[in-house]
Amino acid sequence: MRPLSKLQNTIFLVGGLLMVIGAGSSLLMWRWAPYLFAVGALGFASMQMLQRYEGKNVTIRRLRRMMLISDVLFLLAALLMFASQGNVFGLSHITYVQYIYNKWVVVLLIAAILQLYSSHRIGHELQKEQ
């Protein structure tokens, strides 16, 4: 994997920290929590998308695609966090509660599981490759 520069690595780490703070502070019903999470998700996902794998290992390429899917899910979770603050789509109340309200937690959980699995496996595969 191509390493990130110092600035990119800092953006990556700060983005991950902002995601954690934003997700945690949403439990306290703070109005600015989605903004923190969204900025963090943008920084985290964009820096992770900049990392490239130039090798030919099919397993690492597949795991890399899983990481990219989890990045998109992080961004979708940020969008759903904003949508959970109010019925911005104009849906009926029952439909809104069934399909949108606090469903960002499920999307975030799926993204986190994919991220953990793929990052652990990529590290393991890169060690085997060397």
Side-chain angles (χ1 to χ4, degrees), residues 98-112:
Q98 272 183 327
Y99 296 113
I100 294 178
Y101 186 70
N102 283 342
K103 299 306 186 248
W104 65 270
V105 177
V106 176
V107 175
L108 180 61
L109 178 65
I110 293 169

Side-chain angles (χ1 to χ4, degrees), residues 31-46:
R31 301 292 291 172
W32 48 268
Y35 297 101
L36 278 178
F37 186 84
V39 168
L42 280 172
F44 184 84
S46 63

Side-chain angles (χ1 to χ4, degrees), residues 4 23 33 48 53-54 65-66 86 102 112 123 128:
L4 296 173
Q48 199 166 51
Y53 175 69
E54 285 90 21
R65 281 191 296 267
M66 285 176 63
N102 283 342
K128 278 190 348 187

Side-chain angles (χ1 to χ4, degrees), residues 23-82:
S25 62
S26 69
L27 298 173
L28 301 173
M29 301 288 195
W30 290 345
R31 301 292 291 172
W32 48 268
Y35 297 101
L36 278 178
F37 186 84
V39 168
L42 280 172
F44 184 84
S46 63
M47 291 304 116
Q48 199 166 51
M49 288 178 188
L50 285 177
Q51 282 183 321
R52 301 265 182 214
Y53 175 69
E54 285 90 21
K56 296 182 184 196
N57 189 338
V58 177
T59 304
I60 294 177
R61 290 184 178 273
R62 176 184 56 87
L63 292 166
R64 185 79 187 107
R65 281 191 296 267
M66 285 176 63
M67 266 187 163
L68 295 177
I69 289 171
S70 73
D71 289 337
V72 171
L73 289 176
F74 281 135
L75 296 172
L76 179 63
L79 179 68
L80 287 173
M81 276 182 89
F82 282 110

